[in-house]
């Protein structure tokens, strides 16, 4: 109650008095407004406030009250998480225009999916993954009137194993429900679901980790599941496991929530001994956008690890390829070999660029840039000084014409004449 009173007081000041007296009078938009007052753009508690949040420099007393309140709120993680969800939630009501647009889209999409999409699939002689799953659901019928195929599968299928179950979508879950419809406890059939809800990363593919939690607690159809939680870690050394066990309870939600897909952290038990020669985890901080210093530190870390473990392999993980713009040149400068996939597009490789130049040169005799490029390419390798002698003083002739008269140019080097004789013959 005391905390709510403080929140109400600072909110009424920040929003110029246009604010309900009590929190239970707030509507959804009001709660979002309150969340934006207390949370940063990273959804963490604010450390301080200023005129941008409605606290001018002259309001010293209320600013101090707000500062004290924020200090107190640091201990209320569940409240912060709830405000965070408020800001991520869509508005609960559509406007009339939005409602009309959605209704029209639903009508059009049904027609497209029912009549035009199958025609496109037939023309292309291919289907997408969703169509395969929907076809499977359709052909199995429903619980009230299962198809002949469903009855046949029910007779034949004795065991089902699903791996990576934490990344199951609603459609896949329905398919699993249809395949196990009619199964009874102790009828000799088994359902084995394997997954780690902490590793669920395919929400963009409609995966819902809440389905994992639902199956864990309530089973599937009439099948009650026995939970077996694996805790032994055979992959990593003990020091790394200890760091993860200490850090991740502060990162993942503290309480399980099926609706929100919230999964708490489950600690692991290390089965490999600790390695003393290297730190399990080390943090390095850099000034914002100081990617050059970051790349230099990466090189230093690699070199130290190579000395300590000459035969070990080292992996560099980055959020995206753009983060390698400084690291790759730093590795090259330090003469550190590396292997990676898809770091460069095909058309950015030197060999492909040379082939593009050759193609343009053969198509167009007047493309001087392309012709000069093929003279510099590895199959000819003319020096820049010889290129200058050949082309700098005659801009009206094509490079091909100048090449055919190269033997009359006394200032070309003998090396250039030898290379050009070979190139022209080819």
């Amino acid at each position: 109650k005391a905390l709510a009173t403080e929140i109400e007081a600072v909110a009424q000041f920040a929003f110029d008095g246009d604010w309900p007296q009590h929190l239970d009078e707030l509507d959804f938009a009001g709660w979002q407004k309150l969340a934006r007052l207390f949370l940063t753009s990273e959804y963490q508690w604010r450390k301080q406030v200023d005129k941008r949040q409605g606290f001018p420099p002259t309001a010293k007393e209320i600013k101090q009250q707000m500062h004290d309140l924020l200090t107190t709120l640091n201990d209320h993680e569940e409240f912060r998480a709830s405000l965070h969800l408020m800001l991520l939630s869509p508005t609960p009501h559509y406007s009339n225009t939005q409602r009309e647009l959605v209704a029209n889209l639903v009508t059009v999409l049904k027609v497209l999916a029912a009549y035009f999409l199958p025609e496109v699939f037939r023309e292309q002689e291919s289907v997408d993954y969703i169509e395969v799953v929907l076809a499977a659901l359709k052909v199995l019928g429903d619980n009230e009137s299962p198809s002949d195929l469903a009855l046949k599968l029910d007779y034949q299928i004795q065991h089902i194993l699903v791996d990576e179950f934490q990344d199951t979508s609603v459609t896949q879950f329905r398919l699993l429900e249809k395949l196990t419809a009619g199964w009874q406890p102790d009828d000799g059939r088994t359902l084995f679901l394997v997954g780690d809800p902490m590793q669920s990363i395919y929400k963009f593919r409609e995966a819902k980790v809440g389905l994992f939690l639902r199956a864990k607690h309530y089973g599937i159809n009439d099948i009650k599941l026995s939970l077996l939680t694996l805790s032994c870690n055979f992959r990593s050394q003990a020091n790394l496991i200890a760091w993860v066990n200490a850090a991740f309870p502060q990162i993942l939600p503290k309480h399980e929530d099926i609706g929100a897909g919230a999964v708490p952290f489950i600690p692991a038990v290390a089965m490999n001994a600790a390695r003393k020669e290297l730190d399990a985890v080390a943090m390095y901080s850099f000034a914002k956008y100081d990617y050059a210093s970051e790349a230099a530190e990466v090189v230093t870390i690699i070199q130290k690890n190579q000395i300590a473990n000459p035969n070990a392999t080292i992996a560099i993980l980055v959020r995206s390829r753009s983060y390698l713009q400084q690291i790759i040149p730093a590795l090259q400068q330090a003469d550190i070999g590396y292997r990676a996939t898809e770091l460069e597009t095909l058309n950015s490789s030197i060999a492909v660029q040379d082939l593009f130049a050759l193609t343009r040169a053969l198509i167009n005799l007047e493309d001087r840039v392309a012709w000069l490029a093929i003279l510099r390419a590895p199959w000819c390798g003319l020096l820049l000084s010889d290129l200058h002698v050949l082309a700098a003083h005659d801009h009206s002739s094509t490079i091909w014409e100048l090449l055919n008269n190269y033997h009359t140019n006394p200032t070309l080097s003998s090396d250039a004449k030898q290379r050009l004789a070979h190139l022209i013959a080819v």
Side-chain angles (χ1 to χ4, degrees), residues 56-364:
T58 54
K60 294 182 180 180
E61 185 176 341
I62 192 69
K63 281 183 69 175
Q64 184 59 46
Q65 184 179 347
M66 179 66 169
H67 180 269
D68 295 340
L69 175 59
L70 289 171
T71 302
T72 304
L73 288 173
N74 266 297
D75 298 326
H76 294 267
E77 173 58 23
E78 289 186 38
F79 183 36
R80 186 206 62 79
S82 297
L83 292 178
H84 180 184
L85 287 175
M86 276 282 181
L87 291 175
L88 296 179
S89 301
T91 54
H93 306 292
Y94 289 127
S95 67
N96 291 335
T97 302
Q98 290 172 324
R99 191 177 293 109
E100 183 180 359
L101 176 61
V102 170
N104 291 338
L105 279 175
V106 168
T107 302
V108 172
L109 289 174
K110 283 181 178 178
V111 175
L112 290 174
Y115 299 103
F116 293 96
L117 186 59
E119 186 63 30
V120 172
F121 284 149
R122 282 192 290 271
E123 290 177 358
Q124 300 292 329
E125 296 185 345
S126 62
V127 293
D128 61 7
Y129 177 76
I130 296 175
E131 181 69 12
V132 173
V133 177
L134 291 176
L137 288 173
K138 183 178 180 181
V139 78
L140 290 174
D142 53 44
N143 292 339
E144 299 300 325
S145 55
S147 66
D148 291 341
L149 176 62
L151 295 173
K152 183 178 181 180
L153 290 176
D154 182 63
Y155 174 75
Q156 292 181 338
I157 295 176
Q158 297 296 312
H159 311 287
I160 295 179
L161 165 63
V162 182
D163 198 9
E164 305 292 353
F165 188 67
Q166 76 277 0
D167 291 318
T168 302
S169 69
V170 171
T171 309
Q172 293 167 329
F173 196 86
R174 288 175 181 166
L175 179 60
L176 189 58
E177 286 180 319
K178 287 195 175 186
L179 290 173
T180 57
W183 286 25
Q184 299 297 322
D186 303 321
D187 64 0
R189 293 182 285 196
T190 60
L191 175 63
F192 189 15
L193 309 177
V194 185
D196 181 356
M198 293 187 293
Q199 295 186 38
S200 181
I201 58 173
Y202 286 103
K203 190 174 182 180
F204 66 95
R205 291 186 186 172
E206 303 303 322
K208 295 186 181 297
V209 71
L211 295 172
F212 181 102
L213 303 176
R214 172 182 158 188
K216 183 178 80 170
H217 290 290
Y218 306 111
I220 295 178
N221 293 329
D222 294 325
I223 307 168
K224 302 303 178 186
L225 301 172
S226 300
L227 177 65
L228 177 62
T229 301
L230 305 181
S231 58
C232 295
N233 185 300
F234 294 90
R235 292 183 174 181
S236 304
Q237 57 132 322
N239 287 342
L240 181 57
I241 298 300
W243 185 91
V244 170
N245 285 343
F248 273 80
Q250 305 174 58
I251 299 171
L252 293 178
K254 287 182 170 54
H255 304 286
E256 193 175 275
D257 187 325
I258 294 178
V263 179
F265 177 74
I266 300 175
V269 178
M271 304 304 293
N272 295 328
R275 292 174 57 187
K276 304 295 185 183
E277 69 274 19
L278 295 172
D279 293 332
V281 176
M283 302 288 187
Y284 303 86
S285 59
F286 304 94
K288 195 173 185 180
Y289 306 125
D290 188 6
Y291 300 121
S293 297
E294 181 184 62
E297 187 64 44
V298 169
V299 169
T300 300
I301 294 169
I302 291 173
Q303 291 170 334
K304 287 180 179 178
N305 278 271
Q306 287 177 329
I307 294 172
N309 297 280
N311 298 321
T313 56
I314 299 170
I316 302 175
L317 304 181
V318 293
R319 180 174 293 180
S320 65
R321 293 184 184 87
S322 62
Y323 285 82
L324 292 171
Q325 291 179 356
Q326 298 281 347
I327 294 176
I328 293 298
L331 294 176
Q332 294 170 340
Q333 189 173 359
D335 198 25
I336 297 174
Y338 61 87
R339 289 185 297 173
T341 58
E342 299 180 0
L343 283 185
E344 295 180 345
T345 57
L346 189 61
N347 63 2
S348 66
S349 68
I350 299 300
V352 172
Q353 288 180 354
D354 287 337
L355 290 172
F356 275 136
L358 179 60
T359 303
R360 291 198 302 269
L362 294 176
I363 290 173
N364 183 6

Side-chain angles (χ1 to χ4, degrees), residues 49-57 63:
V49 291
D50 54 33
K51 61 181 181 181
R52 291 172 295 181
Q53 288 81 43
F55 296 84
K63 281 183 69 175

